[in-house]
Amino acid sequence: MKHSKLIVFILVLLLFGCKSQTKETDITKETWIEKPFSEWPQIALTNEISFKDTTYNNIINSFLINTGKDTLAVSCKHIFMVFECHLGLKTIDLGENFNYWKFYSKGNIQNSVDAKRLINTNPKENIGQFNNLKGRDWIIFELNKKSSGLYPLKIRYTPVKPNEIVYAISWGMGQEENNKPTLIKFQCFKNLGDYFYTQTLTKNINPQGRSGSPVIDKNGYLVGIISGAEGNLGVIGSIKYLENEFKKYNIEYTKPSL
């Protein structure tokens, strides 16, 4: 009798072990992730941002996200440090002199989408410096229209693990005339919740100008946004903070079946 119970217990353990392994290995990949990088859809975008007396062209990176309910645009919040320096803005609010914000694939501005509004605008949120922005470095936009030519990324809500390999799709400084973004390979060094640190595995990459770029996992799902760098480590804003913003601003979303 004791031997029978032991056999049943072992079978149960094996069964749950097999189920756990299936969840880890049978994740649905995005269809384009196995194709050559040159054949990937248009994911990495840049911005044209206009105020009353100033227009910024090809400034920072941005991209679209698929919430499961809608398509939104996102970029990095620390762009407001530029607005503070040039325009005197003090909070996360575009102000009365704002005209428009356009998202497009560099070299193809005709294929673009316009922001309808900045969803997580907050006139009570001070801009601050990078050290206190890196844990909240997402701005989220509702769009006026959708574009079939620009691809919105699905979101992975589970955290990036230490040593996990992830990839950024971005333009950097010096690529102004190149309408093809760069694929950069990273390895997660340490995850601190609202952001995580990475080591860059791709050689000869200029890190400057890549803020706001999407970071994806090996299956093509969004796991973060390039925020900046500290020493030799990259700083990536995590999905944890983005999801918190969804909840705070009542943005409807569904988690994809991975």
Side-chain angles (χ1 to χ4, degrees), residues 65-72 146 155 157 246 250-256:
I65 56 174
N66 177 359
T67 67
K69 296 289 186 178
D70 198 2
T71 297
L72 305 175
K146 308 301 183 290
I155 302 168
Y157 291 90
F246 285 175
N250 298 314
I251 300 172
E252 292 187 22
Y253 69 101
T254 58
K255 296 183 179 181

Side-chain angles (χ1 to χ4, degrees), residues 76-87:
C76 58
K77 190 178 287 183
H78 71 258
I79 184 62
F80 274 84
M81 293 172 63
V82 176
F83 301 155
E84 181 179 32
C85 179
H86 295 171
L87 306 173

Side-chain angles (χ1 to χ4, degrees), residues 80-130:
F80 274 84
M81 293 172 63
V82 176
F83 301 155
E84 181 179 32
C85 179
H86 295 171
L87 306 173
L89 299 183
K90 299 298 182 183
T91 63
I92 308 302
D93 189 326
L94 291 168
E96 60 183 14
N97 290 323
F98 172 71
N99 289 328
Y100 65 83
W101 194 307
K102 187 184 299 289
F103 308 92
Y104 62 96
S105 181
K106 190 173 287 191
N108 188 15
I109 196 170
Q110 291 76 21
N111 188 13
S112 65
V113 289
D114 297 323
K116 183 176 182 180
R117 66 185 180 100
L118 173 59
I119 295 176
N120 59 335
T121 185
N122 188 350
K124 295 182 180 180
E125 181 182 356
N126 291 327
I127 295 170
Q129 298 301 310
F130 176 71

Side-chain angles (χ1 to χ4, degrees), residues 19-235:
K19 285 185 176 179
S20 173
Q21 186 178 13
T22 299
K23 288 182 180 179
E24 186 70 23
T25 58
D26 291 351
I27 293 174
T28 302
K29 294 185 176 184
E30 286 283 75
T31 56
W32 43 267
I33 197 70
E34 301 287 1
K35 297 179 180 180
F37 181 57
S38 60
E39 297 178 18
W40 285 13
Q42 294 183 57
I43 294 171
L45 308 178
T46 189
N47 307 278
E48 182 175 281
I49 310 166
S50 176
F51 292 86
K52 183 178 178 180
D53 298 317
T54 305
T55 298
Y56 301 93
N57 294 294
N58 290 342
I59 183 171
I60 66 170
N61 290 260
S62 57
F63 53 97
L64 305 185
I65 56 174
N66 177 359
T67 67
K69 296 289 186 178
D70 198 2
T71 297
L72 305 175
V74 297
S75 193
C76 58
K77 190 178 287 183
H78 71 258
I79 184 62
F80 274 84
M81 293 172 63
V82 176
F83 301 155
E84 181 179 32
C85 179
H86 295 171
L87 306 173
L89 299 183
K90 299 298 182 183
T91 63
I92 308 302
D93 189 326
L94 291 168
E96 60 183 14
N97 290 323
F98 172 71
N99 289 328
Y100 65 83
W101 194 307
K102 187 184 299 289
F103 308 92
Y104 62 96
S105 181
K106 190 173 287 191
N108 188 15
I109 196 170
Q110 291 76 21
N111 188 13
S112 65
V113 289
D114 297 323
K116 183 176 182 180
R117 66 185 180 100
L118 173 59
I119 295 176
N120 59 335
T121 185
N122 188 350
K124 295 182 180 180
E125 181 182 356
N126 291 327
I127 295 170
Q129 298 301 310
F130 176 71
N131 279 342
N132 59 50
L133 270 168
K134 64 186 179 184
R136 53 187 172 100
D137 208 3
W138 296 81
I139 43 176
I140 312 165
F141 296 86
E142 183 181 359
L143 300 174
N144 274 321
K145 65 182 181 68
K146 308 301 183 290
S147 171
S148 59
L150 305 178
Y151 189 83
L153 290 167
K154 297 182 180 72
I155 302 168
R156 178 185 126 185
Y157 291 90
T158 55
V160 172
K161 299 176 182 178
N163 299 319
E164 181 176 348
I165 301 298
V166 294
Y167 304 87
I169 312 166
S170 72
W171 284 285
M173 199 163 291
Q175 287 185 272
E176 285 78 5
E177 302 303 322
N178 184 354
N179 63 355
K180 295 294 182 184
T182 301
L183 185 66
I184 306 171
K185 186 177 182 180
F186 294 119
Q187 185 173 36
C188 178
F189 176 74
K190 187 176 184 179
N191 194 327
L192 297 176
D194 286 339
Y195 62 96
F196 58 94
Y197 290 107
T198 59
Q199 295 173 315
T200 305
L201 301 183
T202 303
K203 303 297 184 183
N204 302 318
I205 290 296
N206 180 359
Q208 295 183 337
R210 300 191 185 276
S211 295
S213 302
V215 179
I216 62 172
D217 67 7
K218 64 181 180 181
N219 299 308
Y221 290 87
L222 178 71
V223 294
I225 186 171
I226 290 186
S227 182
E230 291 184 7
N232 294 325
L233 296 177
V235 180

